[in-house]
Amino acid sequence: MMEGSFRWLFLFGLAAVAACTQGQENTPDAAQTAKIEEDHAILGRYEATGEEKSCISLTRISQSHVLSDTEIFFEMRGREGYLSNLPNRCPQLGFYESFSYSTSTGQLCNTDIITVLNRSSVAGASCGLGKFVAYKLKEKE
């Protein structure tokens, strides 16, 4: 009879540990939270113009900011930027914040595919880009 009670206690303990561990996997640490806030602050310096483009020039891209598994903001040389809202969630993009692409046209287009890179630069999920929504840098107040 005691053996059955210990077995239940053991199984309950395993389930509790698994539940706690599962929740921690998706919880951003302080550095990740700061990075997310920084990226969203960068986007906050811009305002949407409403214009959409299918492609942007690679030579004009100054920096890219992965905002989530579905959003990438491209800061351009000059006073503009472009937000690509991916048509589907790209697993681990928001976590690793790193991607690669290959194009021979000198432009990055909504028909191009990006590939998530993990910390050891091993290829992860491949995902399509969305159209590029134009943003312009807000005037300083």
Side-chain angles (χ1 to χ4, degrees):
M1 178 93 173
M2 288 291 278
E3 184 178 315
S5 296
F6 286 121
R7 187 174 301 147
W8 263 117
L9 185 58
F10 178 74
L11 291 175
F12 179 78
L14 282 178
V17 168
C20 289
T21 304
Q22 185 178 19
Q24 290 175 348
E25 289 174 2
N26 296 324
T27 305
D29 63 18
Q32 290 169 323
T33 301
K35 173 73 169 102
I36 291 167
E37 289 172 359
E38 176 185 327
D39 286 342
H40 284 281
I42 289 167
L43 184 59
R45 296 190 333 236
Y46 291 82
E47 59 188 349
T49 67
E51 179 188 350
E52 281 189 349
K53 287 188 171 186
S54 296
C55 300
I56 58 175
S57 170
L58 289 175
T59 59
R60 294 201 53 238
I61 297 173
S62 172
Q63 200 169 10
S64 63
H65 304 276
V66 175
L67 303 179
S68 68
D69 283 351
T70 59
E71 297 176 306
I72 303 171
F73 185 71
F74 295 90
E75 280 190 284
M76 308 299 281
R77 298 190 196 311
R79 302 181 52 84
E80 63 185 358
Y82 290 92
L83 179 66
S84 179
N85 289 301
L86 283 60
N88 299 299
R89 183 179 163 272
C90 193
Q92 299 294 306
L93 177 63
F95 180 77
Y96 287 116
E97 299 175 335
S98 182
F99 62 92
S100 67
Y101 54 85
S102 177
T103 180
S104 60
T105 65
Q107 295 189 354
L108 192 58
C109 297
N110 67 320
T111 55
D112 289 325
I113 303 294
I114 62 166
T115 301
V116 176
L117 298 175
N118 69 22
R119 286 183 175 72
S120 61
S121 297
V122 174
S126 291
C127 310
L129 289 169
K131 288 211 175 201
F132 299 91
V133 178
Y135 280 70
K136 67 177 182 176
L137 199 57
K138 292 177 183 176
E139 296 297 324
K140 292 186 179 180
E141 297 172 6

